[in-house]
């Protein structure tokens, strides 16, 4: 039976910045429009956190029953390591997704009811990532989904529910967040190329190969830096987002140096921290300059 610490590890804490950063960035974008609403920001945060925990446990369940996690270079998985039954992991995933759906419903009803459809798409995307008969995560579309859901939808949805409109600043923030969030998954899949290839999981990293995946990761970080400079057109104070550069360089170092397997695990942490620090810095700059 899995311990409490192992269940916490199963939630994949290193991925939580992927949920928190879009809400911070989106709230900063709303503040730029003089329309930040703190309780809606908290609801959006509840949605994002519940969904990412739900998709992580759903991924653990689906990969575990398929046998994909039987041999891993990364952190332990509950089902694949036989630490928890598939049914119990599935139950936690469904509870998490349900909590996110309830918070999302409340947010949509108090902002724009048509966003219920967006929430439904998010739930479907969370499950079909590795679930169903043809999971898109096994076909190389995981990074695209992360870019859409944790970049465009996460940031622009947060901005819209508060300001009831989006602007170019929100779009740039969304693309930047999406790029950094996708970089986290690229790093994860770079580490897992050997085991994913053996199990038939054709991630984008498997399709691109080791060298081109490393180039893609570094390109996503560079794109985020360039877009931070673009945000200076709104206010020069957005340059403070570059405070995350040392973290980004630390994250990229193992990728540039050709590290493999468990040696790439810190890249996920450092990329997530880069995204989190960047979002806090830029959102603060936008809020103070508005």
């Amino acid at each position: 039976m899995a311990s409490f610490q192992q269940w916490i590890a199963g939630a994949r804490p290193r991925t939580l910045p992927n949920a928190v950063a879009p809400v911070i960035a989106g709230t900063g974008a709303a503040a730029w429009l003089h329309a930040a609403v703190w309780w809606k920001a908290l609801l959006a945060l509840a949605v994002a956190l519940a969904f990412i925990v739900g998709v992580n446990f759903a991924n653990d369940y689906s990969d575990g029953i398929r046998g994909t996690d039987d041999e891993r270079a990364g952190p332990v998985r509950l089902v694949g390591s036989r630490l928890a039954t598939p049914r119990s992991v599935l139950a936690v995933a469904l509870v998490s997704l349900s909590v996110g759906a309830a918070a999302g419903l409340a947010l949509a009803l108090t902002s724009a009811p048509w966003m219920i459809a967006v929430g439904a798409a998010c739930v479907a995307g969370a499950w079909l990532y590795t679930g169903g008969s043809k999971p898109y995560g096994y076909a190389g579309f995981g990074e695209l989904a992360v870019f859409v859901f944790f970049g465009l939808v996460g940031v622009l949805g947060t901005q819209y529910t508060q300001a009831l409109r989006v602007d170019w600043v929100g779009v740039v923030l969304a693309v930047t967040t999406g790029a950094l969030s996708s970089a986290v998954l690229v790093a994860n899949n770079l580490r897992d190329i050997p085991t994913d290839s053996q199990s038939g999981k054709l991630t984008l990293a498997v399709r691109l190969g080791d060298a081109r995946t490393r180039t893609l990761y570094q390109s996503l970080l560079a794109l985020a830096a360039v877009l931070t400079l673009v945000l200076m057109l709104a206010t020069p104070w957005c340059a403070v987002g570059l405070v995350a550069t040392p973290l980004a360089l630390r994250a990229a170092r193992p990728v540039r140096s050709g590290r493999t397997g468990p040696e790439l695990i810190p890249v996920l942490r450092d990329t997530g921290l880069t995204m989190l620090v960047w979002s806090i810095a830029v959102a603060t700059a936008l809020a103070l300059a508005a």
Side-chain angles (χ1 to χ4, degrees), residues 13-111:
R14 290 188 181 88
T15 66
L16 295 186
N18 293 59
V20 177
V23 177
I24 294 174
T27 301
W32 175 248
L33 297 177
H34 306 280
V37 182
W38 67 268
W39 62 268
K40 288 188 176 182
L42 290 178
L43 267 179
L45 182 60
V47 173
L49 287 172
F51 273 175
I52 200 165
V53 170
V55 75
N56 285 341
F57 280 117
N59 177 253
D60 192 310
Y61 166 78
S62 297
D63 280 348
I65 63 173
R66 292 177 191 275
T68 308
D69 283 343
D70 289 350
E71 299 291 337
R72 283 184 51 79
V76 68
R77 293 293 178 253
L78 296 172
V79 177
S81 299
R82 310 298 190 269
L83 292 171
T85 64
R87 179 177 294 182
S88 62
V89 174
L90 176 60
V92 173
L94 293 177
V95 168
S96 297
L97 293 174
S98 297
V99 170
L105 180 61
L107 186 59
L109 291 176
T110 55
S111 304

Side-chain angles (χ1 to χ4, degrees), residues 115-212:
M115 294 194 72
I116 294 174
V118 177
C122 291
V123 173
W127 176 254
L128 295 175
Y129 174 53
T130 55
S133 59
K134 294 183 179 180
Y136 63 83
Y138 281 55
F141 296 107
E143 285 80 2
L144 177 60
V146 166
F147 179 83
V148 171
F149 291 119
F150 290 101
L152 303 184
V153 174
V155 176
L156 295 179
T158 300
Q159 183 186 29
Y160 187 85
T161 53
Q162 296 179 54
L164 297 182
R165 65 188 180 100
V166 299
D167 67 342
W168 74 269
V169 171
V171 171
V172 174
L173 287 169
V175 174
T176 308
T177 306
L180 290 172
S181 194
S182 296
V184 174
L185 184 58
V186 170
N188 180 80
N189 290 342
L190 171 64
R191 180 199 66 208
D192 292 341
I193 285 178
T195 54
D196 284 344
S197 298
Q198 293 174 5
S199 64
K201 187 176 182 179
L202 301 179
T203 63
L204 182 61
V206 171
R207 292 179 181 274
L208 291 177
D210 185 276
R212 285 188 291 181

